[in-house]
PDB file of all heavy atoms in Angstrom:
ATOM      1  N   SER A   1       2.554  -7.628  10.299  1.00 93.00           N
ATOM      2  CA  SER A   1       1.125  -7.423  10.111  1.00 93.00           C
ATOM      3  C   SER A   1       0.758  -6.933   8.715  1.00 93.00           C
ATOM      4  O   SER A   1      -0.418  -6.797   8.380  1.00 93.00           O
ATOM      5  CB  SER A   1       0.622  -6.382  11.148  1.00 93.00           C
ATOM      6  OG  SER A   1       1.181  -5.126  10.888  1.00 93.00           O
ATOM      7  N   THR A   2       1.766  -6.654   7.897  1.00 95.00           N
ATOM      8  CA  THR A   2       1.503  -6.181   6.539  1.00 95.00           C
ATOM      9  C   THR A   2       0.760  -7.206   5.740  1.00 95.00           C
ATOM     10  O   THR A   2       1.131  -8.389   5.675  1.00 95.00           O
ATOM     11  CB  THR A   2       2.824  -5.817   5.821  1.00 95.00           C
ATOM     12  OG1 THR A   2       3.527  -4.827   6.592  1.00 95.00           O
ATOM     13  CG2 THR A   2       2.567  -5.276   4.417  1.00 95.00           C
ATOM     14  N   SER A   3      -0.323  -6.810   5.104  1.00 95.00           N
ATOM     15  CA  SER A   3      -1.158  -7.714   4.269  1.00 95.00           C
ATOM     16  C   SER A   3      -0.920  -7.414   2.789  1.00 95.00           C
ATOM     17  O   SER A   3      -0.498  -6.330   2.408  1.00 95.00           O
ATOM     18  CB  SER A   3      -2.612  -7.568   4.634  1.00 95.00           C
ATOM     19  OG  SER A   3      -3.038  -6.232   4.551  1.00 95.00           O
ATOM     20  N   ILE A   4      -1.228  -8.435   1.969  1.00 96.00           N
ATOM     21  CA  ILE A   4      -1.107  -8.316   0.523  1.00 96.00           C
ATOM     22  C   ILE A   4      -2.520  -8.372  -0.071  1.00 96.00           C
ATOM     23  O   ILE A   4      -3.254  -9.310   0.175  1.00 96.00           O
ATOM     24  CB  ILE A   4      -0.228  -9.421  -0.060  1.00 96.00           C
ATOM     25  CG1 ILE A   4       1.187  -9.329   0.510  1.00 96.00           C
ATOM     26  CG2 ILE A   4      -0.222  -9.376  -1.581  1.00 96.00           C
ATOM     27  CD1 ILE A   4       2.073 -10.518   0.121  1.00 96.00           C
ATOM     28  N   HIS A   5      -2.889  -7.354  -0.845  1.00 95.00           N
ATOM     29  CA  HIS A   5      -4.251  -7.283  -1.429  1.00 95.00           C
ATOM     30  C   HIS A   5      -4.152  -7.420  -2.926  1.00 95.00           C
ATOM     31  O   HIS A   5      -3.396  -6.681  -3.595  1.00 95.00           O
ATOM     32  CB  HIS A   5      -4.909  -5.929  -1.062  1.00 95.00           C
ATOM     33  CG  HIS A   5      -5.135  -5.777   0.406  1.00 95.00           C
ATOM     34  ND1 HIS A   5      -6.384  -5.809   0.977  1.00 95.00           N
ATOM     35  CD2 HIS A   5      -4.261  -5.562   1.428  1.00 95.00           C
ATOM     36  CE1 HIS A   5      -6.266  -5.627   2.293  1.00 95.00           C
ATOM     37  NE2 HIS A   5      -4.973  -5.466   2.564  1.00 95.00           N
ATOM     38  N   LEU A   6      -4.954  -8.348  -3.494  1.00 96.00           N
ATOM     39  CA  LEU A   6      -4.954  -8.580  -4.938  1.00 96.00           C
ATOM     40  C   LEU A   6      -6.295  -8.138  -5.527  1.00 96.00           C
ATOM     41  O   LEU A   6      -7.327  -8.324  -4.884  1.00 96.00           O
ATOM     42  CB  LEU A   6      -4.729 -10.064  -5.236  1.00 96.00           C
ATOM     43  CG  LEU A   6      -3.519 -10.738  -4.599  1.00 96.00           C
ATOM     44  CD1 LEU A   6      -3.462 -12.214  -4.952  1.00 96.00           C
ATOM     45  CD2 LEU A   6      -2.219 -10.033  -5.026  1.00 96.00           C
ATOM     46  N   SER A   7      -6.276  -7.579  -6.707  1.00 93.00           N
ATOM     47  CA  SER A   7      -7.499  -7.083  -7.337  1.00 93.00           C
ATOM     48  C   SER A   7      -8.311  -8.155  -8.018  1.00 93.00           C
ATOM     49  O   SER A   7      -9.379  -7.902  -8.549  1.00 93.00           O
ATOM     50  CB  SER A   7      -7.203  -5.965  -8.338  1.00 93.00           C
ATOM     51  OG  SER A   7      -6.464  -6.502  -9.429  1.00 93.00           O
ATOM     52  N   GLY A   8      -7.825  -9.387  -8.017  1.00 91.00           N
ATOM     53  CA  GLY A   8      -8.559 -10.482  -8.632  1.00 91.00           C
ATOM     54  C   GLY A   8      -8.004 -11.803  -8.154  1.00 91.00           C
ATOM     55  O   GLY A   8      -6.967 -11.876  -7.497  1.00 91.00           O
ATOM     56  N   ASP A   9      -8.745 -12.885  -8.465  1.00 90.00           N
ATOM     57  CA  ASP A   9      -8.337 -14.209  -7.969  1.00 90.00           C
ATOM     58  C   ASP A   9      -7.910 -15.138  -9.106  1.00 90.00           C
ATOM     59  O   ASP A   9      -7.973 -16.375  -8.973  1.00 90.00           O
ATOM     60  CB  ASP A   9      -9.420 -14.840  -7.161  1.00 90.00           C
ATOM     61  CG  ASP A   9     -10.718 -15.047  -7.950  1.00 90.00           C
ATOM     62  OD1 ASP A   9     -10.758 -14.654  -9.142  1.00 90.00           O
ATOM     63  OD2 ASP A   9     -11.679 -15.627  -7.392  1.00 90.00           O
ATOM     64  N   SER A  10      -7.472 -14.578 -10.245  1.00 93.00           N
ATOM     65  CA  SER A  10      -7.009 -15.398 -11.350  1.00 93.00           C
ATOM     66  C   SER A  10      -5.724 -16.128 -10.930  1.00 93.00           C
ATOM     67  O   SER A  10      -5.083 -15.775  -9.937  1.00 93.00           O
ATOM     68  CB  SER A  10      -6.735 -14.554 -12.574  1.00 93.00           C
ATOM     69  OG  SER A  10      -5.643 -13.661 -12.313  1.00 93.00           O
ATOM     70  N   GLU A  11      -5.370 -17.163 -11.690  1.00 94.00           N
ATOM     71  CA  GLU A  11      -4.125 -17.894 -11.383  1.00 94.00           C
ATOM     72  C   GLU A  11      -2.907 -16.967 -11.400  1.00 94.00           C
ATOM     73  O   GLU A  11      -2.015 -17.071 -10.557  1.00 94.00           O
ATOM     74  CB  GLU A  11      -3.930 -19.041 -12.372  1.00 94.00           C
ATOM     75  CG  GLU A  11      -4.849 -20.201 -12.150  1.00 94.00           C
ATOM     76  CD  GLU A  11      -4.510 -21.402 -13.025  1.00 94.00           C
ATOM     77  OE1 GLU A  11      -3.392 -21.409 -13.590  1.00 94.00           O
ATOM     78  OE2 GLU A  11      -5.363 -22.313 -13.165  1.00 94.00           O
ATOM     79  N   GLU A  12      -2.924 -16.047 -12.376  1.00 95.00           N
ATOM     80  CA  GLU A  12      -1.792 -15.070 -12.461  1.00 95.00           C
ATOM     81  C   GLU A  12      -1.695 -14.232 -11.200  1.00 95.00           C
ATOM     82  O   GLU A  12      -0.613 -14.003 -10.661  1.00 95.00           O
ATOM     83  CB  GLU A  12      -1.995 -14.174 -13.688  1.00 95.00           C
ATOM     84  CG  GLU A  12      -1.553 -14.803 -15.015  1.00 95.00           C
ATOM     85  CD  GLU A  12      -1.578 -13.789 -16.149  1.00 95.00           C
ATOM     86  OE1 GLU A  12      -2.562 -13.008 -16.194  1.00 95.00           O
ATOM     87  OE2 GLU A  12      -0.680 -13.790 -17.001  1.00 95.00           O
ATOM     88  N   MET A  13      -2.855 -13.742 -10.755  1.00 95.00           N
ATOM     89  CA  MET A  13      -2.829 -12.874  -9.593  1.00 95.00           C
ATOM     90  C   MET A  13      -2.465 -13.668  -8.335  1.00 95.00           C
ATOM     91  O   MET A  13      -1.695 -13.204  -7.488  1.00 95.00           O
ATOM     92  CB  MET A  13      -4.191 -12.220  -9.405  1.00 95.00           C
ATOM     93  CG  MET A  13      -4.550 -11.199 -10.453  1.00 95.00           C
ATOM     94  SD  MET A  13      -3.360  -9.800 -10.544  1.00 95.00           S
ATOM     95  CE  MET A  13      -3.724  -8.991  -9.003  1.00 95.00           C
ATOM     96  N   GLN A  14      -2.986 -14.872  -8.197  1.00 96.00           N
ATOM     97  CA  GLN A  14      -2.618 -15.692  -7.056  1.00 96.00           C
ATOM     98  C   GLN A  14      -1.127 -15.990  -7.011  1.00 96.00           C
ATOM     99  O   GLN A  14      -0.515 -15.958  -5.964  1.00 96.00           O
ATOM    100  CB  GLN A  14      -3.432 -16.982  -7.061  1.00 96.00           C
ATOM    101  CG  GLN A  14      -4.916 -16.805  -6.784  1.00 96.00           C
ATOM    102  CD  GLN A  14      -5.670 -18.106  -6.714  1.00 96.00           C
ATOM    103  OE1 GLN A  14      -5.259 -18.997  -5.948  1.00 96.00           O
ATOM    104  NE2 GLN A  14      -6.722 -18.217  -7.477  1.00 96.00           N
ATOM    105  N   PHE A  15      -0.553 -16.270  -8.189  1.00 97.00           N
ATOM    106  CA  PHE A  15       0.873 -16.523  -8.238  1.00 97.00           C
ATOM    107  C   PHE A  15       1.642 -15.280  -7.796  1.00 97.00           C
ATOM    108  O   PHE A  15       2.606 -15.356  -7.049  1.00 97.00           O
ATOM    109  CB  PHE A  15       1.303 -16.900  -9.641  1.00 97.00           C
ATOM    110  CG  PHE A  15       2.813 -16.975  -9.807  1.00 97.00           C
ATOM    111  CD1 PHE A  15       3.520 -18.048  -9.306  1.00 97.00           C
ATOM    112  CD2 PHE A  15       3.509 -15.947 -10.382  1.00 97.00           C
ATOM    113  CE1 PHE A  15       4.920 -18.085  -9.423  1.00 97.00           C
ATOM    114  CE2 PHE A  15       4.891 -15.963 -10.533  1.00 97.00           C
ATOM    115  CZ  PHE A  15       5.585 -17.063 -10.031  1.00 97.00           C
ATOM    116  N   LEU A  16       1.208 -14.092  -8.263  1.00 97.00           N
ATOM    117  CA  LEU A  16       1.864 -12.857  -7.878  1.00 97.00           C
ATOM    118  C   LEU A  16       1.844 -12.656  -6.366  1.00 97.00           C
ATOM    119  O   LEU A  16       2.850 -12.226  -5.765  1.00 97.00           O
ATOM    120  CB  LEU A  16       1.218 -11.669  -8.567  1.00 97.00           C
ATOM    121  CG  LEU A  16       1.761 -11.325  -9.955  1.00 97.00           C
ATOM    122  CD1 LEU A  16       0.847 -10.289 -10.613  1.00 97.00           C
ATOM    123  CD2 LEU A  16       3.167 -10.796  -9.902  1.00 97.00           C
ATOM    124  N   GLY A  17       0.704 -12.903  -5.763  1.00 97.00           N
ATOM    125  CA  GLY A  17       0.616 -12.750  -4.303  1.00 97.00           C
ATOM    126  C   GLY A  17       1.561 -13.689  -3.590  1.00 97.00           C
ATOM    127  O   GLY A  17       2.263 -13.277  -2.660  1.00 97.00           O
ATOM    128  N   GLU A  18       1.604 -14.941  -4.018  1.00 97.00           N
ATOM    129  CA  GLU A  18       2.498 -15.909  -3.389  1.00 97.00           C
ATOM    130  C   GLU A  18       3.946 -15.563  -3.659  1.00 97.00           C
ATOM    131  O   GLU A  18       4.814 -15.735  -2.775  1.00 97.00           O
ATOM    132  CB  GLU A  18       2.157 -17.309  -3.916  1.00 97.00           C
ATOM    133  CG  GLU A  18       0.779 -17.802  -3.486  1.00 97.00           C
ATOM    134  CD  GLU A  18       0.313 -18.995  -4.273  1.00 97.00           C
ATOM    135  OE1 GLU A  18       1.087 -19.477  -5.139  1.00 97.00           O
ATOM    136  OE2 GLU A  18      -0.806 -19.477  -4.038  1.00 97.00           O
ATOM    137  N   TYR A  19       4.228 -15.108  -4.857  1.00 97.00           N
ATOM    138  CA  TYR A  19       5.632 -14.735  -5.256  1.00 97.00           C
ATOM    139  C   TYR A  19       6.088 -13.581  -4.364  1.00 97.00           C
ATOM    140  O   TYR A  19       7.202 -13.615  -3.803  1.00 97.00           O
ATOM    141  CB  TYR A  19       5.634 -14.317  -6.686  1.00 97.00           C
ATOM    142  CG  TYR A  19       6.968 -13.983  -7.294  1.00 97.00           C
ATOM    143  CD1 TYR A  19       7.771 -14.943  -7.863  1.00 97.00           C
ATOM    144  CD2 TYR A  19       7.455 -12.652  -7.271  1.00 97.00           C
ATOM    145  CE1 TYR A  19       9.013 -14.614  -8.437  1.00 97.00           C
ATOM    146  CE2 TYR A  19       8.681 -12.326  -7.810  1.00 97.00           C
ATOM    147  CZ  TYR A  19       9.458 -13.318  -8.384  1.00 97.00           C
ATOM    148  OH  TYR A  19      10.685 -12.996  -8.934  1.00 97.00           O
ATOM    149  N   LEU A  20       5.249 -12.548  -4.179  1.00 97.00           N
ATOM    150  CA  LEU A  20       5.632 -11.441  -3.313  1.00 97.00           C
ATOM    151  C   LEU A  20       5.761 -11.870  -1.889  1.00 97.00           C
ATOM    152  O   LEU A  20       6.699 -11.462  -1.193  1.00 97.00           O
ATOM    153  CB  LEU A  20       4.562 -10.318  -3.434  1.00 97.00           C
ATOM    154  CG  LEU A  20       4.755  -9.118  -2.547  1.00 97.00           C
ATOM    155  CD1 LEU A  20       6.125  -8.452  -2.755  1.00 97.00           C
ATOM    156  CD2 LEU A  20       3.619  -8.083  -2.720  1.00 97.00           C
ATOM    157  N   ASN A  21       4.877 -12.707  -1.422  1.00 96.00           N
ATOM    158  CA  ASN A  21       4.985 -13.218  -0.041  1.00 96.00           C
ATOM    159  C   ASN A  21       6.304 -13.930   0.181  1.00 96.00           C
ATOM    160  O   ASN A  21       6.963 -13.763   1.200  1.00 96.00           O
ATOM    161  CB  ASN A  21       3.818 -14.168   0.256  1.00 96.00           C
ATOM    162  CG  ASN A  21       3.876 -14.762   1.659  1.00 96.00           C
ATOM    163  OD1 ASN A  21       3.795 -14.013   2.628  1.00 96.00           O
ATOM    164  ND2 ASN A  21       4.056 -16.057   1.717  1.00 96.00           N
ATOM    165  N   ASP A  22       6.725 -14.763  -0.805  1.00 95.00           N
ATOM    166  CA  ASP A  22       8.005 -15.466  -0.697  1.00 95.00           C
ATOM    167  C   ASP A  22       9.169 -14.458  -0.630  1.00 95.00           C
ATOM    168  O   ASP A  22      10.138 -14.684   0.099  1.00 95.00           O
ATOM    169  CB  ASP A  22       8.192 -16.391  -1.872  1.00 95.00           C
ATOM    170  CG  ASP A  22       7.300 -17.631  -1.797  1.00 95.00           C
ATOM    171  OD1 ASP A  22       6.749 -17.899  -0.732  1.00 95.00           O
ATOM    172  OD2 ASP A  22       7.132 -18.295  -2.851  1.00 95.00           O
ATOM    173  N   LEU A  23       9.086 -13.393  -1.404  1.00 95.00           N
ATOM    174  CA  LEU A  23      10.165 -12.393  -1.425  1.00 95.00           C
ATOM    175  C   LEU A  23      10.347 -11.710  -0.083  1.00 95.00           C
ATOM    176  O   LEU A  23      11.465 -11.429   0.340  1.00 95.00           O
ATOM    177  CB  LEU A  23       9.890 -11.344  -2.497  1.00 95.00           C
ATOM    178  CG  LEU A  23      10.146 -11.757  -3.958  1.00 95.00           C
ATOM    179  CD1 LEU A  23       9.746 -10.612  -4.914  1.00 95.00           C
ATOM    180  CD2 LEU A  23      11.616 -12.077  -4.202  1.00 95.00           C
ATOM    181  N   ILE A  24       9.245 -11.441   0.611  1.00 95.00           N
ATOM    182  CA  ILE A  24       9.345 -10.642   1.845  1.00 95.00           C
ATOM    183  C   ILE A  24       9.348 -11.531   3.120  1.00 95.00           C
ATOM    184  O   ILE A  24       9.466 -11.028   4.223  1.00 95.00           O
ATOM    185  CB  ILE A  24       8.232  -9.586   1.949  1.00 95.00           C
ATOM    186  CG1 ILE A  24       6.853 -10.263   1.974  1.00 95.00           C
ATOM    187  CG2 ILE A  24       8.348  -8.600   0.780  1.00 95.00           C
ATOM    188  CD1 ILE A  24       5.698  -9.262   2.107  1.00 95.00           C
ATOM    189  N   TYR A  25       9.265 -12.849   2.914  1.00 94.00           N
ATOM    190  CA  TYR A  25       9.198 -13.764   4.071  1.00 94.00           C
ATOM    191  C   TYR A  25      10.436 -13.621   4.957  1.00 94.00           C
ATOM    192  O   TYR A  25      10.306 -13.610   6.189  1.00 94.00           O
ATOM    193  CB  TYR A  25       9.070 -15.196   3.572  1.00 94.00           C
ATOM    194  CG  TYR A  25       9.124 -16.231   4.671  1.00 94.00           C
ATOM    195  CD1 TYR A  25       8.051 -16.428   5.527  1.00 94.00           C
ATOM    196  CD2 TYR A  25      10.304 -16.985   4.875  1.00 94.00           C
ATOM    197  CE1 TYR A  25       8.109 -17.367   6.540  1.00 94.00           C
ATOM    198  CE2 TYR A  25      10.361 -17.922   5.883  1.00 94.00           C
ATOM    199  CZ  TYR A  25       9.286 -18.092   6.747  1.00 94.00           C
ATOM    200  OH  TYR A  25       9.351 -19.030   7.762  1.00 94.00           O
ATOM    201  N   SER A  26      11.611 -13.467   4.353  1.00 89.00           N
ATOM    202  CA  SER A  26      12.830 -13.392   5.160  1.00 89.00           C
ATOM    203  C   SER A  26      12.857 -12.142   6.038  1.00 89.00           C
ATOM    204  O   SER A  26      13.598 -12.088   7.035  1.00 89.00           O
ATOM    205  CB  SER A  26      14.057 -13.370   4.251  1.00 89.00           C
ATOM    206  OG  SER A  26      14.236 -14.634   3.690  1.00 89.00           O
ATOM    207  N   ALA A  27      12.057 -11.151   5.693  1.00 91.00           N
ATOM    208  CA  ALA A  27      12.012  -9.914   6.501  1.00 91.00           C
ATOM    209  C   ALA A  27      11.234 -10.078   7.778  1.00 91.00           C
ATOM    210  O   ALA A  27      11.535  -9.471   8.805  1.00 91.00           O
ATOM    211  CB  ALA A  27      11.457  -8.775   5.674  1.00 91.00           C
ATOM    212  N   THR A  28      10.199 -10.886   7.730  1.00 90.00           N
ATOM    213  CA  THR A  28       9.235 -10.909   8.839  1.00 90.00           C
ATOM    214  C   THR A  28       9.029 -12.278   9.508  1.00 90.00           C
ATOM    215  O   THR A  28       8.375 -12.366  10.540  1.00 90.00           O
ATOM    216  CB  THR A  28       7.863 -10.424   8.336  1.00 90.00           C
ATOM    217  OG1 THR A  28       7.433 -11.292   7.300  1.00 90.00           O
ATOM    218  CG2 THR A  28       7.945  -8.998   7.799  1.00 90.00           C
ATOM    219  N   TRP A  29       9.550 -13.312   8.882  1.00 91.00           N
ATOM    220  CA  TRP A  29       9.406 -14.692   9.432  1.00 91.00           C
ATOM    221  C   TRP A  29       7.943 -15.169   9.393  1.00 91.00           C
ATOM    222  O   TRP A  29       7.615 -16.142  10.058  1.00 91.00           O
ATOM    223  CB  TRP A  29       9.914 -14.817  10.842  1.00 91.00           C
ATOM    224  CG  TRP A  29      11.396 -14.629  11.022  1.00 91.00           C
ATOM    225  CD1 TRP A  29      12.133 -13.528  10.691  1.00 91.00           C
ATOM    226  CD2 TRP A  29      12.320 -15.559  11.583  1.00 91.00           C
ATOM    227  NE1 TRP A  29      13.458 -13.718  10.997  1.00 91.00           N
ATOM    228  CE2 TRP A  29      13.602 -14.964  11.568  1.00 91.00           C
ATOM    229  CE3 TRP A  29      12.209 -16.815  12.151  1.00 91.00           C
ATOM    230  CZ2 TRP A  29      14.742 -15.597  12.052  1.00 91.00           C
ATOM    231  CZ3 TRP A  29      13.323 -17.475  12.633  1.00 91.00           C
ATOM    232  CH2 TRP A  29      14.587 -16.849  12.583  1.00 91.00           C
ATOM    233  N   VAL A  30       7.050 -14.518   8.659  1.00 91.00           N
ATOM    234  CA  VAL A  30       5.674 -14.946   8.615  1.00 91.00           C
ATOM    235  C   VAL A  30       5.207 -15.018   7.183  1.00 91.00           C
ATOM    236  O   VAL A  30       5.728 -14.307   6.302  1.00 91.00           O
ATOM    237  CB  VAL A  30       4.749 -13.999   9.418  1.00 91.00           C
ATOM    238  CG1 VAL A  30       5.124 -13.923  10.862  1.00 91.00           C
ATOM    239  CG2 VAL A  30       4.688 -12.621   8.785  1.00 91.00           C
ATOM    240  N   ASN A  31       4.200 -15.839   6.928  1.00 92.00           N
ATOM    241  CA  ASN A  31       3.494 -15.792   5.660  1.00 92.00           C
ATOM    242  C   ASN A  31       2.424 -14.730   5.775  1.00 92.00           C
ATOM    243  O   ASN A  31       1.541 -14.827   6.649  1.00 92.00           O
ATOM    244  CB  ASN A  31       2.878 -17.167   5.341  1.00 92.00           C
ATOM    245  CG  ASN A  31       3.924 -18.157   4.898  1.00 92.00           C
ATOM    246  OD1 ASN A  31       4.733 -17.850   4.038  1.00 92.00           O
ATOM    247  ND2 ASN A  31       3.920 -19.353   5.492  1.00 92.00           N
ATOM    248  N   HIS A  32       2.467 -13.751   4.919  1.00 92.00           N
ATOM    249  CA  HIS A  32       1.575 -12.618   5.052  1.00 92.00           C
ATOM    250  C   HIS A  32       0.178 -12.950   4.538  1.00 92.00           C
ATOM    251  O   HIS A  32       0.020 -13.789   3.618  1.00 92.00           O
ATOM    252  CB  HIS A  32       2.125 -11.426   4.253  1.00 92.00           C
ATOM    253  CG  HIS A  32       3.386 -10.891   4.855  1.00 92.00           C
ATOM    254  ND1 HIS A  32       3.406  -9.765   5.645  1.00 92.00           N
ATOM    255  CD2 HIS A  32       4.670 -11.361   4.844  1.00 92.00           C
ATOM    256  CE1 HIS A  32       4.665  -9.544   6.078  1.00 92.00           C
ATOM    257  NE2 HIS A  32       5.437 -10.497   5.590  1.00 92.00           N
ATOM    258  N   THR A  33      -0.811 -12.323   5.123  1.00 92.00           N
ATOM    259  CA  THR A  33      -2.181 -12.535   4.680  1.00 92.00           C
ATOM    260  C   THR A  33      -2.355 -12.058   3.248  1.00 92.00           C
ATOM    261  O   THR A  33      -1.957 -10.946   2.909  1.00 92.00           O
ATOM    262  CB  THR A  33      -3.153 -11.768   5.592  1.00 92.00           C
ATOM    263  OG1 THR A  33      -3.022 -12.221   6.927  1.00 92.00           O
ATOM    264  CG2 THR A  33      -4.609 -11.936   5.121  1.00 92.00           C
ATOM    265  N   ILE A  34      -2.883 -12.902   2.386  1.00 93.00           N
ATOM    266  CA  ILE A  34      -3.172 -12.550   1.015  1.00 93.00           C
ATOM    267  C   ILE A  34      -4.704 -12.515   0.835  1.00 93.00           C
ATOM    268  O   ILE A  34      -5.351 -13.529   1.094  1.00 93.00           O
ATOM    269  CB  ILE A  34      -2.536 -13.554   0.015  1.00 93.00           C
ATOM    270  CG1 ILE A  34      -1.025 -13.602   0.202  1.00 93.00           C
ATOM    271  CG2 ILE A  34      -2.888 -13.195  -1.419  1.00 93.00           C
ATOM    272  CD1 ILE A  34      -0.316 -14.653  -0.632  1.00 93.00           C
TER     273      ILE A  34
END
């Protein structure tokens, strides 16, 4: 249920959100809400 919150929607920030989601995917088996 852990969500990822970004302070902006720039390409850099969107990449960071997706990058972090990929890193923690193996822990939870889900794509986290960004």
Side-chain angles (χ1 to χ4, degrees):
S1 67
T2 301
S3 54
I4 299 172
H5 296 252
L6 308 178
S7 65
D9 60 357
S10 67
E11 286 187 16
E12 279 187 318
M13 291 300 292
Q14 290 184 53
F15 172 78
L16 272 170
E18 293 165 2
Y19 183 91
L20 176 58
N21 178 64
D22 287 344
L23 284 176
I24 61 178
Y25 174 76
S26 289
T28 60
W29 294 58
V30 300
N31 285 311
H32 293 260
T33 300
I34 300 175

